Amino acid sequence: MKRVAAFLLIFALCFLVGCAQPSYFVEFSLSQNAYSGGRKLSKSEISDLQSEISGLLHEIESQISTEIEESDVSRINAAAAGEEIRVGEHTAAMLEICSDLYEKTNGAFSPALYNLSRLWKFTPEFEGEYSVPRPEPSADLIAETLVNSSFEDIQIEGDSVVKQNGSVKLDLGGIAKGYMSDCVRELILQKYPDFCGTFSVMSNSVLMGEKQEDSAGLGYTAMLENPRAAVTGGTSPNGGLYFAELSQVAVSTSADNYRFYVYDDTIYKHIIDPFTGKPSQNGVISVTVLVPLSLENAGALADAYSTAGFCMPLTETLDFYRSLWEECGIGAVVITSDFCYAVVGDYTVLQPKEYAELIRPELTDSVENVFSLREGEALDTVVPDEREREYISLFKEK
């Protein structure tokens, strides 16, 4: 399962959930300020809830992990063409959602890219080597692998999966975190139907109900991580942008500062473009997607859509998110290598100085804004900011 940039809730408390393989884990956090019916949940209630959630995450991972030999996904990947594989409820549900999202994104989101990820050495077997500089695979090898990376070669009917091409392999990492967060939310609501609180599964966060302890009157507030913190200063170097007045929303961020390497003045990120067979190169460095919890599979949608934004020309990416906003209220924040950002949807997005003015006015003068709101229409060709070139040079030196 791929690691992507964490959408960091300001109040998050990390709780690690161990998995079947020692080298793999799911990061899960549950806010200690959780309420039900206006009553704050006790420490023991939260502990019991965490235990149940841990068991649920284990159950899901046992079906969809590429690292567990007997998982559904591993059995699908090992199957020959025409061989029928029966899968568990979570795998079947995820594949159904994937099929829908593959169509809605015109193929920009695809769960059939495991072979390409392995070709570029971003699969778990290369952990510890992700950042090692290396030349691109040959064009012929990329083309050959691309042929064996088509989701259209996967036939899904209920709990039955059949591959038309035995070489195709799945990786559900682009949707698994969001799907897990949907399942966690359902579990919580079964126990506490009027639950108010927050939790995160890796880079997917879910903000349920209205914030109860809200002396500042800002609702749920959250920080969008600065993917270029390595070359920017300020008193809050990880805070590129901030959200305020959030509630009843699932949020997912994908960015290029996790699992990447620099070679020949180019950043090669782990997010593979299913059309080119290469790491995404559309000028996007971070995408955050916000999906109202009123939509079915909100977490899964946020997860997949944040990945898809890396796999289209920039103008198409922004048009795609605008269409989602108009159709169903899904918003997005897209940051590009020219250190500009675009906001799609009616969400309150604050610069660091604006946020400091609201919560710590005395720090306003010492806080630096990193990104600028994009003015005018975007172009598909993004001219990198000087700080982007500095960032690339920083990793070249290593």
Side-chain angles (χ1 to χ4, degrees):
M1 186 180 296
K2 68 184 182 183
R3 291 178 181 269
V4 294
F7 179 87
L8 301 176
L9 289 176
I10 292 171
F11 39 72
L13 174 64
C14 187
F15 176 72
L16 300 184
V17 181
C19 296
Q21 295 292 321
S23 62
Y24 181 78
F25 60 89
V26 172
E27 293 176 0
F28 169 75
S29 66
L30 175 65
S31 171
Q32 301 299 295
N33 293 324
Y35 288 77
S36 178
R39 177 184 65 84
K40 187 173 183 178
L41 298 186
S42 67
K43 290 183 178 180
S44 62
E45 286 176 308
I46 290 177
S47 178
D48 290 344
L49 192 55
Q50 287 178 327
S51 295
E52 290 189 50
I53 292 170
S54 174
L56 173 62
L57 295 178
H58 276 293
E59 177 187 347
I60 297 172
E61 185 184 7
S62 69
Q63 293 185 21
I64 57 90
S65 173
T66 60
E67 298 180 71
I68 298 175
E69 187 175 354
E70 295 303 317
S71 73
D72 291 341
V73 170
S74 291
R75 290 187 299 112
I76 292 169
N77 289 348
E83 180 181 354
E84 182 181 23
I85 302 296
R86 294 285 183 177
V87 301
E89 62 171 317
H90 296 298
T91 307
M94 265 188 267
L95 288 175
E96 182 179 352
I97 298 170
C98 284
S99 296
D100 184 51
L101 292 174
Y102 180 79
E103 293 184 10
K104 287 182 177 178
T105 62
N106 294 316
F109 171 77
S110 173
L113 305 181
Y114 183 87
N115 288 328
L116 285 165
S117 293
R118 185 167 58 184
L119 176 66
W120 290 92
K121 297 185 178 180
F122 286 126
T123 47
E125 65 201 89
F126 297 105
E127 187 172 359
E129 303 176 32
Y130 298 143
S131 62
V132 176
R134 49 194 181 271
E136 293 188 2
S138 69
D140 287 344
L141 189 53
I142 294 172
E144 177 185 342
T145 309
L146 193 56
V147 169
N148 293 320
S149 302
S150 174
F151 188 56
E152 294 179 10
D153 285 327
I154 306 292
Q155 294 181 329
I156 304 159
E157 186 172 347
D159 65 351
S160 173
V161 179
V162 177
K163 296 192 297 184
Q164 294 178 321
N165 178 348
S167 297
V168 174
K169 297 183 186 298
L170 297 175
D171 180 354
L172 299 180
I175 195 173
K177 302 174 299 300
Y179 175 84
M180 287 178 174
S181 69
D182 290 330
C183 292
V184 169
R185 175 171 169 260
E186 183 177 348
L187 184 155
I188 291 174
L189 290 177
Q190 288 175 355
K191 294 179 66 69
Y192 303 103
D194 53 359
F195 182 89
C196 292
T198 66
F199 68 87
S200 297
V201 180
M202 302 293 281
S203 58
N204 278 62
S205 298
V206 178
L207 290 68
M208 299 174 62
E210 302 291 334
K211 186 176 181 181
Q212 299 297 293
E213 299 178 18
D214 191 14
S215 58
L218 296 176
Y220 288 122
T221 59
M223 179 179 76
L224 196 163
E225 184 181 3
N226 173 12
R228 296 298 181 261
V231 293
T232 59
T235 57
S236 183
N238 288 327
L241 296 167
Y242 294 82
F243 291 92
E245 302 175 0
L246 295 176
S247 65
Q248 287 293 94
V249 66
V251 188
S252 179
T253 297
S254 295
D256 70 351
N257 60 320
Y258 290 83
R259 256 203 296 169
F260 73 97
Y261 68 94
V262 172
Y263 183 83
D264 196 21
D265 294 321
T266 299
I267 297 176
Y268 290 87
K269 61 204 74 172
H270 71 280
I271 301 174
I272 305 297
D273 186 326
F275 304 112
T276 65
K278 298 181 178 183
S280 165
Q281 294 292 342
N282 65 346
V284 173
I285 64 176
S286 174
V287 176
T288 298
V289 174
L290 306 96
V291 181
L293 295 184
S294 57
L295 296 180
E296 187 177 10
N297 305 314
L301 295 181
D303 200 0
Y305 285 147
S306 67
T307 300
F310 278 85
C311 302
M312 311 174 192
L314 179 58
T315 54
E316 290 185 20
T317 291
L318 295 175
D319 286 344
F320 175 70
Y321 290 135
R322 292 185 188 112
S323 69
L324 289 176
W325 172 253
E326 293 172 359
E327 292 171 10
C328 48
I330 294 176
V333 174
V334 180
I335 305 176
T336 44
S337 62
D338 54 2
F339 276 50
C340 291
Y341 70 95
V343 179
V344 177
D346 188 20
Y347 284 96
T348 302
V349 181
L350 304 174
Q351 290 271 22
K353 281 185 174 293
E354 294 176 297
Y355 185 71
E357 287 175 0
L358 294 174
I359 63 164
R360 296 285 299 278
E362 70 276 12
L363 296 179
T364 303
D365 291 339
S366 61
V367 172
E368 298 177 7
N369 291 338
V370 180
F371 304 106
S372 300
L373 182 64
R374 182 174 297 283
E375 296 181 359
E377 292 296 319
L379 300 175
D380 287 336
T381 300
V382 179
V383 179
D385 185 272
E386 181 61 36
R387 289 167 293 178
E388 179 72 359
R389 289 188 282 269
E390 180 185 351
Y391 179 78
I392 292 173
S393 297
L394 181 67
F395 291 96
K396 282 179 61 179
E397 294 170 2
K398 294 182 178 181

